[in-house]
């Protein structure tokens, strides 16, 4: 089949690699311009460069809504469009242009975690598996009929970076296998159960701020979710921003006020956590490594030279 691909960053790069190695002909690639936004610099393999290396025409767009692009798409005469990590709305007159429509590849197990940053949100929410869905695009974001879906387990100490690498391996194969189903003439794909749908927004600065009323296991997942190269979760100590780079749940239980810098346990420092911490039934967040405002990364026992005081959500 003749394929036009809309794609961006490493997800799009890996998908395009698979398409170029497949029996399908990639006739045009549409991708976004490079961005300096913190999240856009992560996993930033260039779709444009890969396409150019293989002699495929590239069109750069933030939004695919202009007449010039539409004309190029018509001239390309695609049988199908493939969209992978395309960041803006694709209008109906484009996604319905090919005779087989548009196959969108999304990094969650739809209908759950439609929208943005699904791996981070899934890890924070203690999901036991994550995955990738290839579905037919329709007018509702990430809501079209499911062609194929593949899952991987979330390990007990996985970070978002771990989950990224696990799911990235699925993108190329699920795209090529999804196109094979479409090429067979199949249209009886699985309808999404909209009663089970969930939609999540982009991660922002406020989403990184630690709330010490969360339970220790929830904070542990937040810190693993915001692992490098993503921006780290943070709190404030003595009015200065302090990023929490590594932590786990304490073995002992600690009572008191959430945020209290309590006690050294092993190679970490226990910070009281949980809305009911005053009852003394809670595990603490055992902070092991931190990063200061001036970029120094230190062990927690080195940074917290004296016990006592508080980590706060606001300066």
């Amino acid at each position: 089949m003749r394929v036009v691909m809309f794609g961006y960053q490493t997800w799009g790069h890996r998908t395009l690699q698979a398409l170029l190695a497949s029996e399908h002909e990639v006739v045009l690639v549409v991708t976004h311009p490079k961005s300096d936004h913190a999240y856009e610099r992560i996993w930033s393999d260039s779709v444009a460069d890969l396409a150019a290396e293989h002699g495929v025409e590239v069109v750069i767009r933030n939004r695919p809504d202009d007449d010039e692009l539409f004309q190029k798409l018509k001239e390309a005469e695609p049988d199908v469009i493939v969209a992978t990590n395309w960041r803006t709305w694709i209008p109906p007159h484009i996604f319905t242009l090919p005779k087989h429509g548009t196959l969108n590849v999304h990094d969650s197990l739809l209908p759950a975690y439609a929208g943005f940053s699904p791996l981070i949100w899934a890890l924070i929410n203690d999901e036991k598996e994550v995955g990738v869905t290839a579905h037919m695009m329709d007018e509702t974001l990430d809501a079209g009929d499911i062609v194929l879906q593949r899952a991987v387990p979330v390990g007990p100490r996985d970070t978002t970076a771990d989950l990224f690498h696990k799911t990235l391996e699925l993108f190329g194969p699920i795209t090529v296998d999804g196109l094979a189903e479409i090429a067979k003439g199949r249209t009886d794909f699985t309808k999404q159960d909209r009663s089970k749908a969930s939609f999540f927004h982009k991660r922002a600065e406020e989403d990184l701020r630690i709330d010490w009323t969360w339970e220790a296991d929830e904070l542990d997942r937040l810190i693993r979710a915001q692992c490098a190269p993503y921006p780290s979760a943070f709190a404030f100590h003595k009015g200065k921003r302090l990023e929490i780079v590594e932590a786990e749940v304490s073995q002992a239980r600690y009572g008191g006020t959430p945020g209290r810098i309590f006690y050294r346990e092993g190679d970490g420092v226990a910070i009281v956590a949980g809305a009911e911490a005053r009852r003394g039934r809670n595990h603490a967040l055992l902070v092991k490594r931190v990063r200061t405002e001036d970029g120094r990364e230190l062990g927690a026992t080195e940074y917290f030279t004296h016990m006592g005081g508080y980590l706060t959500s606001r300066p």
Side-chain angles (χ1 to χ4, degrees):
M1 291 195 295
R2 291 171 62 84
V3 178
V4 167
M5 187 184 132
F6 283 65
Y8 187 50
Q9 293 180 295
T10 299
W11 297 267
H13 188 276
R14 188 61 62 90
T15 301
L16 180 57
Q17 281 182 323
L19 289 172
L20 290 168
S22 75
E23 63 185 10
H24 306 291
E25 180 186 5
V26 182
V27 294
L28 182 69
V29 166
V30 186
T31 190
H32 295 301
K34 292 181 180 179
S35 170
D36 288 331
H37 187 280
Y39 276 100
E40 301 295 339
R41 293 196 302 269
I42 301 169
W43 323 121
S44 58
D45 296 274
S46 174
V47 171
D49 290 350
L50 179 61
E53 288 168 11
H54 288 80
V56 179
E57 182 180 1
V58 177
V59 178
I60 307 293
R61 290 290 188 278
N62 275 313
R63 298 183 178 277
D65 54 5
D66 60 275
D67 293 340
E68 180 185 2
L69 174 59
F70 186 55
Q71 184 61 36
K72 281 186 175 292
L73 291 170
K74 289 195 293 184
E75 292 171 357
E77 298 182 335
D79 297 306
V80 65
I81 291 173
V82 168
T84 303
N85 198 39
W86 184 259
R87 311 297 282 175
T88 57
W89 182 63
I90 298 176
H93 72 278
I94 288 183
F95 72 69
T96 61
L97 175 64
K99 63 182 178 181
H100 293 297
T102 294
L103 180 72
N104 185 54
V105 186
H106 179 72
D107 52 341
S108 83
L109 297 173
L110 294 174
Y113 296 94
F116 300 91
S117 305
L119 295 179
I120 294 178
W121 288 111
L123 181 52
I124 290 170
N125 292 333
D126 200 22
E127 300 293 349
K128 303 307 179 188
E129 61 179 11
V130 294
V132 174
T133 302
H135 69 97
M136 302 309 300
M137 185 174 287
D138 64 16
E139 292 188 9
T140 303
L141 182 62
D142 295 333
D145 293 355
I146 294 172
V147 179
L148 290 173
Q149 193 167 73
R150 288 170 185 165
V152 292
V154 178
R157 298 303 301 165
D158 272 349
T159 66
T160 300
D162 296 324
L163 300 181
F164 167 81
H165 290 294
K166 287 182 182 182
T167 55
L168 182 63
E169 296 304 314
L170 304 176
F171 270 79
I174 202 173
T175 301
V176 173
D177 293 347
L179 290 179
E181 296 299 310
I182 293 169
K184 291 176 186 176
R186 277 195 60 197
T187 56
D188 58 334
F189 301 125
T190 304
K191 298 286 184 185
Q192 291 194 40
D193 182 349
R194 302 312 295 159
S195 69
K196 297 180 180 178
S198 57
F199 186 91
F200 287 82
H201 60 74
K202 292 181 180 180
R203 300 288 293 176
E205 180 83 355
E206 191 63 24
D207 301 305
L208 312 180
R209 188 187 304 274
I210 292 175
D211 180 347
W212 295 103
T213 65
W214 285 23
E215 298 300 318
D217 60 333
E218 296 174 313
L219 293 176
D220 170 47
R221 292 195 301 273
L222 171 64
I223 289 156
R224 285 188 284 120
Q226 294 296 156
C227 70
Y230 298 97
S232 296
F234 68 92
F236 291 90
H237 182 231
K238 298 182 178 179
K240 294 185 177 181
R241 180 177 172 128
L242 185 69
E243 295 181 352
I244 309 301
V245 176
E246 182 184 355
E248 61 185 36
V249 178
S250 69
Q251 291 186 346
R253 296 176 186 270
Y254 297 86
T257 302
R260 176 73 173 185
I261 303 162
F262 199 130
Y263 190 75
R264 292 186 181 183
E265 184 180 295
D267 60 350
V269 173
I271 313 295
V272 177
E276 296 296 314
R278 68 183 185 278
R279 300 181 184 277
R281 301 170 187 167
N282 290 31
H283 291 283
L285 183 71
L286 191 66
V287 175
K288 306 186 86 171
R289 294 197 67 79
V290 299
R291 185 181 297 112
T292 62
E293 280 188 349
D294 59 4
R296 292 180 302 135
E297 188 171 314
L298 303 168
T301 56
E302 180 183 1
Y303 175 81
F304 295 107
T305 55
H306 301 284
M307 297 300 100
Y310 293 86
L311 286 175
T312 60
S313 298
R314 305 283 172 180

